[in-house]
Amino acid sequence: MQINYGTVKYLVEYSALRSASMSDVTAPIAAPAAGTEHRARLLEGMARAVAAKGYADTTIADIVREASVSRRTFYENFADKAECLTALYEAASGNAIAVLRAAIDPHSDWEAQVEQAMAAYFGVLARNPVLLRTLFIDILGLGPTGLAARRRANQQLADLMLDVVNNRAGERKRKTPLQPMMAMAVVGGINEMVLHSIEQDRAGQLQELVEPAATLLRAAISAEF
């Protein structure tokens, strides 16, 4: 199995994207700030380990070996493997959302931006199909903690959608703003599309979802005018 370690590093870094260009979706980004290096290395180690072995078979020993840190350092940052996975999920989700945000030009026509934004979002998710499966499926196996992490990520996506749709510079005010529940429904629909692709072993072909996801979002926006 071939593992794209450059993508693993990209997924777990905390720094912001350098620009909104599509080429930067796969570009490396700045090193973590002082004081977060060990934590960032542990997240990358976790990502490498689960990409190679899957979450169930990954041990603390695997994580610290991949991260080149001590077991003591692991426990200074995380209580257990589940907490490390949750942190990895949140870091990866945050960067995927940053990619989506960077692909949106608030001054251009929203209709024209939908597919580009979706392509950027699905593009970064699809870079490592094995890791994506862990982040989308295994996270739910953590019970309430994993579910809460998923809900926070979904809320971030919904909030971004509401901000972009309802507060676009230079556009007429919407008579009926896009409602939070409608935005969350779109996010849920997109997540279900991704989960279906993972279950069908098509996690590396998420670009197939750009058109249906864009259609779903346009329908939700049109319904709210």
Side-chain angles (χ1 to χ4, degrees):
M1 175 176 55
Q2 184 177 6
I3 302 170
N4 186 339
Y5 288 127
T7 300
V8 171
K9 178 176 176 61
Y10 178 84
L11 282 170
V12 301
E13 291 282 11
Y14 286 96
S15 303
L17 292 174
R18 293 173 302 176
S19 78
S21 70
M22 289 296 291
S23 62
D24 279 341
V25 169
T26 56
I29 50 182
T36 66
E37 181 182 356
H38 284 160
R39 184 179 177 87
R41 285 169 62 180
L42 283 163
L43 293 183
E44 185 172 349
M46 179 67 160
R48 289 174 181 262
V50 299
K53 302 179 65 174
Y55 176 72
D57 292 330
T58 292
T59 65
I60 301 297
D62 294 326
I63 298 169
V64 299
R65 182 178 61 253
E66 293 288 354
S68 298
V69 300
S70 68
R71 184 179 289 263
R72 176 180 176 180
T73 297
F74 178 90
Y75 286 110
E76 288 174 346
N77 286 272
F78 303 108
D80 52 27
K81 184 176 75 167
E83 186 176 305
C84 187
L85 177 64
T86 301
L88 172 63
Y89 172 81
E90 290 179 335
S93 297
N95 271 337
I97 293 169
V99 168
L100 177 58
R101 183 183 293 276
I104 297 171
D105 180 357
H107 301 290
S108 67
D109 178 66
W110 169 249
E111 292 284 326
Q113 287 291 314
V114 170
E115 289 193 11
Q116 180 179 343
M118 289 297 175
Y121 179 68
F122 289 132
V124 73
L125 291 183
R127 298 301 177 188
N128 194 312
V130 178
L131 181 58
L132 181 66
R133 182 181 184 88
T134 292
L135 295 177
F136 265 73
I137 294 179
D138 291 345
I139 190 70
L140 298 179
L142 302 185
T145 300
L147 181 59
R150 169 65 66 83
R151 291 198 183 285
R152 286 193 296 272
N154 287 352
Q155 190 63 58
Q156 288 178 326
L157 276 171
D159 288 345
L160 172 60
M161 188 181 303
L162 289 166
D163 182 52
V164 171
V165 173
N166 291 338
N167 302 306
R168 291 181 61 75
E171 290 194 2
R172 65 182 174 88
K173 274 288 185 182
R174 298 165 60 87
K175 293 181 180 179
T176 305
L178 181 64
Q179 298 300 305
M181 288 304 294
M182 181 65 78
M184 186 59 73
V186 174
V187 171
I190 291 172
N191 278 339
E192 284 302 312
M193 291 181 197
V194 174
L195 285 169
H196 181 74
S197 293
I198 293 171
E199 291 167 354
Q200 297 295 317
D201 293 324
R202 300 190 65 79
Q205 286 80 48
L206 293 187
Q207 292 298 315
E208 298 172 344
L209 303 182
V210 171
E211 182 177 351
T215 299
L216 175 61
L217 180 53
R218 288 192 186 105
I221 295 171
S222 298
E224 295 287 334
F225 267 108

